[in-house]
DNA sequence: GGGCTGTACTG
DNA sequence: CAGTACA
DNA sequence: GCCC
């Protein structure tokens, strides 16, 4: 590209990233927060001239504070082709990107959100029962939000009517899990029991291929974490909805002996162990693992050698060990920021002038990070282009940018061979584009799962609600909407009418019934109380220790 | 005896 | 279409 | 596995 105006030194990808990360985690030691600094120093020493063909993922960060030269050349050339008449500064506006903070949307992971009041126990009875708060409490409008909001006031939101026959659901809102608030701390005994039930659930899902037992057990596990009182006698749970006699028996055994005979037996079989191992690979579920096992494959290594893997599975297998390790919050921040910086550069590359980049799109950390958790299993970033420009190919371009800046990137979806195979289905058919991949920032030890989802602005609030989770929370809220006669998804709320007879009993509308600008508005439209992201969790901190025999 | 959330991507 | 994955 |  050639270095025009060297003194107006553009802030490089890494410089921008560094500023953002430091700002967000003033408390974490610098070298821990910015491991790529060492990497950068090393690469700066090596001259910038060996920087040509980089094997994927090993791009070199040329000196001089800009990203790898080939990237710039290619980028400028392609831009030039698109906009032959633009002046260079117009073409590459990010060169003089102001060092401002980006979107408000990223703020408010709200780990610090005030805990809700509360409150009374309840022996609870209901599906998805809650520990819940007053139904009638006034809806607080200006509560700190996270969704990026219209600022204009809008007319009062009239909740959708409950079209069900008996109206049980809407009269018992507080009994739904999506209206509960997560218990922050819970008796260690309950957490022990919950962990055991989760193991049982995991077994039924991965080995038993029994989705519904999985659902039942993991729901019970979540409820145990939410209980405010300690389970001392399994029979206490009979009064809690979703615990039946069989589960109570299991819990009685756990309380008495500290283990479940049945679980141990089930887990000890060769088949169970093999499936547990094989299903760790991304793209391998119970069915495929079973097929492989039937062919004598009992390890990931053997599966790789068998030649039976798809492209996605091969990538998954390559990194499956790294991916078992949780990601500290500060590293999640760094990865999200990297995506955000790349997004801004990409928008710049598409002709958005520097002063408009802030409003032209955003990258919002979602998932467990937004729920305030100290570590995450993967990194979820919600993308949105807001200036009316095309977002076609945006994800691919962001990833290319990061690659060129030296980030190691491996695709699970959008794999090149895959894309070629499916001929130009270039126009995406769905209204949401959904990427899964594996990345590693330079200087970091481990590869991490990255999920990107790109939505049109009108879907943003619904998408954020979905992508923030948790799993149980989403299912509960959607189930609630369904009970009222609607269907809630990451795109909106539509009518869902139960038809008599037929197996496929539900007829769904296509027209979104409500254009929500914020998450709050969605809750309100469904007649529910707003729940902060940090209160949509499943995990809990123990109070004290479980009795010794249970550890 | 059937429902238990709704959507995207792969092959 | 079935299988897997995402929250 | 639980609930209607």
């Amino acid at each position: 590209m050639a270095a025009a105006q060297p003194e107006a030194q553009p802030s490089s990808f890494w410089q921008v990233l560094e500023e953002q990360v430091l700002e967000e985690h003033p408390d974490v030691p610098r070298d821990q927060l910015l491991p790529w600094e060492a990497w950068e120093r090393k690469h700066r020493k090596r001259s910038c001239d060996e920087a040509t063909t980089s094997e994927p993922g090993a791009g070199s960060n040329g000196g001089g504070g800009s990203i790898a030269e080939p990237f710039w050349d290619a980028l400028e050339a392609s831009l030039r082709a698109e906009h032959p008449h633009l002046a260079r500064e117009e073409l590459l506006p990010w060169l003089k990107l102001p060092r401002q903070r980006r979107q408000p949307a990223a703020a408010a992971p709200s780990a610090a959100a005030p805990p809700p009041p509360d409150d009374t126990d309840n022996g609870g009875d209901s599906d998805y029962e809650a520990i819940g708060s007053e139904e009638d409490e006034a809806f607080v409008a200006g509560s700190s939000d996270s969704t990026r909001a219209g600022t204009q006031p809008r007319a009062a939101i009239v909740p959708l009517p409950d079209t069900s026959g008996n109206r049980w659901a809407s009269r018992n809102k507080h009994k739904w899990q999506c209206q509960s608030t997560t218990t922050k701390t819970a008796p260690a005994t309950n957490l022990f029991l919950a962990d055991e039930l989760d193991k049982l659930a995991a077994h039924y899902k991965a080995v038993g291929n029994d989705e519904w037992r999985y659902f039942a057990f993991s729901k019970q596990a979540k409820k145990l974490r939410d209980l405010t009182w300690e389970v001392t006698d399994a029979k206490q749970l009979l009064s809690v909805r979703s615990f039946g006699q069989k589960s109570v028996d299991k819990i009685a055994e756990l309380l008495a002996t500290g283990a479940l005979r049945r679980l141990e037996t089930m887990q000890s079989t060769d088949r169970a162990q093999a499936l547990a191992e094989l299903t760790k690979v991304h793209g391998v579920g119970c069915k495929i693992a079973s097929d492989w096992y039937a062919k004598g494959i009992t390890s990931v290594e053997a599966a790789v050698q068998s030649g039976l893997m798809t492209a996605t599975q091969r990538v998954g297998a390559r990194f499956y060990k790294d991916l078992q390790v949780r990601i500290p919050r500060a590293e999640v921040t760094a990865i999200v920021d990297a995506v955000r910086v790349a997004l801004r550069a990409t928008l710049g590359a598409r002709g958005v002038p520097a002063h408009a980049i802030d409003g032209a799109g955003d990258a919002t950390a979602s998932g467990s990070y937004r729920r305030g958790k100290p570590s995450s299993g993967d990194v979820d970033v919600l993308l949105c282009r807001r200036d009316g420009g095309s977002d076609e190919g945006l994800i691919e371009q962001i990833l290319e940018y990061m690659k060129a800046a030296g980030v190691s990137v491996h695709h699970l979806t959008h794999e090149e061979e895959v894309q070629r195979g499916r001929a130009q289905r270039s126009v995406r058919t769905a209204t949401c584009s959904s990427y899964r991949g594996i990345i590693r920032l330079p200087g970091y030890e481990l590869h991490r799962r990255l999920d990107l989802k790109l939505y049109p602005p009108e879907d943003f609030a619904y998408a954020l609600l979905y992508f923030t989770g948790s799993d149980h929370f989403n299912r509960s809220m959607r189930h609630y909407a369904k009970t009222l006669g609607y269907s809630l998804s990451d795109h909106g709320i539509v009518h869902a009418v139960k038809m008599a007879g037929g197996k496929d009993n539900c007829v769904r509308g296509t027209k979104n019934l409500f254009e929500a600008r914020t998450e709050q508005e969605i809750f309100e439209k469904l007649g529910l109380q707003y729940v902060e992201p940090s209160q949509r969790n499943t995990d809990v901190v123990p109070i004290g220790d479980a009795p010794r025999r249970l550890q």
Side-chain angles (χ1 to χ4, degrees):
Chain A
M1 67 152 191
Q5 66 261 66
E7 47 268 280
Q9 200 45 261
S11 18
S12 76
F13 181 82
W14 297 107
Q15 287 167 341
V16 177
L17 185 51
E18 190 175 304
E19 284 169 28
Q20 299 197 352
V21 173
L22 284 175
E23 189 172 332
E24 285 162 35
H25 293 275
D27 43 322
V28 180
R30 186 182 174 94
D31 52 336
Q32 207 175 307
L33 203 54
L34 309 172
W36 62 76
E37 276 189 341
W39 175 87
E40 240 200 327
R41 272 197 302 279
K42 192 168 105 200
H43 282 258
R44 212 165 264 163
K45 261 190 217 142
R46 299 219 214 138
S47 61
C48 343
D49 42 49
E50 61 176 291
T52 29
T53 58
S54 48
E55 65 137 303
S60 151
N61 181 348
S66 76
I67 65 171
E69 302 300 306
F71 172 79
W72 289 104
D73 291 341
L75 182 54
E76 188 169 4
S78 81
L79 288 172
R80 184 52 74 191
E82 285 179 44
H83 306 279
H85 306 302
L86 282 185
R88 186 158 184 286
E89 303 83 318
E90 288 300 311
L91 202 58
L92 308 173
W94 67 91
L95 290 180
K96 46 182 192 219
L97 219 53
R99 322 179 140 226
Q100 54 214 236
R101 280 291 309 258
R102 65 314 103 179
Q103 288 325 286
S110 90
D118 277 32
D119 149 319
T120 52
D121 84 81
N122 81 356
D125 70 319
S126 81
D127 199 27
Y128 287 120
E129 116 276 1
I131 312 287
S133 43
E134 291 309 309
E135 207 172 319
D136 301 326
E137 210 170 286
F139 182 81
V140 184
S143 75
S144 77
D145 179 29
S146 31
T147 55
R148 118 195 290 282
T151 43
Q152 277 95 24
R154 75 184 290 166
I157 293 170
V158 182
L160 292 165
D162 181 348
T163 64
S164 69
N166 62 16
R167 316 223 169 171
W168 181 89
S170 52
R171 277 199 293 254
N172 293 279
K173 289 169 192 171
H174 63 288
K175 297 191 177 180
W176 292 72
Q177 256 184 237
C178 59
Q179 287 288 270
S180 79
T181 49
T182 322
T183 312
K184 284 254 157 78
T185 56
T189 303
N190 296 3
L191 300 189
F192 163 79
L193 295 172
D195 287 344
E196 294 300 308
L197 289 183
D198 269 336
K199 286 183 201 163
L200 207 49
H203 177 87
Y204 274 111
K205 184 185 177 124
V207 183
N209 192 21
D210 187 338
E211 193 185 335
W212 297 117
R213 278 192 177 78
Y214 157 77
F215 182 60
F217 286 129
S218 73
K219 188 163 67 177
Q220 290 171 355
K222 187 194 179 341
K223 288 200 178 188
L224 279 168
R225 295 180 220 276
D226 279 346
L227 286 181
T228 50
W229 44 272
E230 177 167 359
V231 177
T232 51
D233 178 349
K235 286 202 270 298
Q236 293 164 323
L237 291 169
L238 277 173
S239 62
V240 179
R241 194 161 245 261
S242 87
F243 285 88
Q245 188 58 53
K246 294 198 173 171
S247 299
V248 166
D249 290 346
K250 289 186 175 67
I251 284 163
E253 184 187 342
L254 280 169
L255 285 174
T257 68
L260 266 182
R261 252 328 244 313
R262 193 163 141 64
L263 177 63
E264 287 178 348
T265 314
M266 290 190 307
Q267 279 182 328
S268 65
T269 66
D270 286 349
R271 180 167 183 276
Q273 303 209 328
L275 296 211
E277 159 102 354
L278 294 173
T279 53
K280 284 180 185 163
V281 175
H282 187 101
V284 180
C286 176
K287 288 277 182 12
I288 289 171
S290 294
D291 289 352
W292 288 353
Y293 181 76
K295 294 178 176 164
I297 296 171
T298 58
S299 70
V300 174
E301 165 119 38
V304 170
Q305 282 165 0
S306 74
L308 292 172
M309 286 186 157
T310 65
T312 302
Q313 289 160 353
R314 278 194 298 274
V315 177
R318 213 171 132 192
F319 300 108
Y320 89 100
K321 283 206 171 128
D322 279 12
L323 302 183
Q324 308 306 309
V325 183
R326 295 189 64 79
I327 315 170
R329 191 173 175 85
E331 188 177 340
V332 177
T333 306
I335 292 171
V336 173
D337 283 344
V339 173
R340 186 176 296 119
V341 173
L343 167 68
R344 295 171 60 100
T346 299
L347 290 170
R350 291 175 171 226
V352 177
H355 65 82
I357 279 189
D358 261 353
D362 39 65
T364 307
S366 317
S368 52
Y369 180 90
R370 183 162 180 262
R371 297 199 307 272
K373 294 189 51 172
S375 73
S376 301
D378 66 359
V379 181
D380 304 298
V381 186
L382 184 56
L383 300 169
C384 186
R385 177 152 193 187
R386 298 184 182 278
D387 63 352
S390 166
D391 61 10
E392 190 69 40
L394 196 72
I395 287 180
E396 292 81 350
Q397 220 177 327
I398 288 171
L399 294 165
E400 280 309 309
Y401 185 94
M402 291 203 296
K403 240 186 198 177
V407 180
S408 164
V409 179
H410 304 271
H411 306 317
L412 291 165
T413 58
H414 298 221
E415 183 68 40
E416 279 169 41
E417 6 174 336
V418 168
Q419 289 307 300
R420 271 202 302 280
R422 34 188 66 206
Q424 273 50 322
R425 190 195 279 184
S426 56
V427 180
R428 69 176 197 247
T429 73
T431 43
C432 151
S433 164
S434 171
Y435 170 85
R436 296 195 296 273
I438 295 171
I439 71 162
R440 182 172 58 85
L441 297 186
Y444 282 91
E445 285 287 300
L446 299 176
H447 291 79
R448 308 298 198 180
R449 282 273 296 101
L450 173 67
D451 287 344
L452 303 179
K453 274 186 162 272
L454 172 65
Y455 289 85
E458 62 271 23
D459 286 3
F460 184 82
Y462 289 100
L464 183 63
L465 179 65
Y466 156 71
F467 215 27
T468 298
S470 65
D471 181 353
H472 280 286
F473 179 88
N474 285 350
R475 292 176 77 157
S476 169
M477 193 157 169
R478 289 170 176 206
H479 187 25
Y480 178 79
K482 190 174 198 172
T483 309
L484 266 50
Y486 308 94
S487 172
L488 171 67
S489 78
D490 45 349
H491 300 295
I493 301 173
V494 298
H495 282 294
V497 182
K498 274 223 157 144
M499 306 300 282
K503 198 85 185 296
D504 256 343
N505 50 345
C506 230
V507 172
R508 232 175 243 130
T510 52
K511 183 173 162 286
N512 186 4
L513 296 174
F514 178 59
E515 290 194 6
R517 295 175 308 180
T518 64
E519 288 181 315
Q520 281 91 337
E521 292 183 351
I522 301 171
F523 283 86
E524 201 175 348
K525 194 65 182 177
L526 290 171
L528 298 173
Q529 260 209 295
Y530 181 64
V531 176
E532 292 285 344
S534 63
Q535 299 300 309
R536 306 174 200 167
N537 267 320
T538 306
D539 64 300
V540 174
V541 177
I543 300 173
D545 297 322
R548 166 110 29 117
R549 74 174 184 289
L550 300 187
Q551 293 177 18

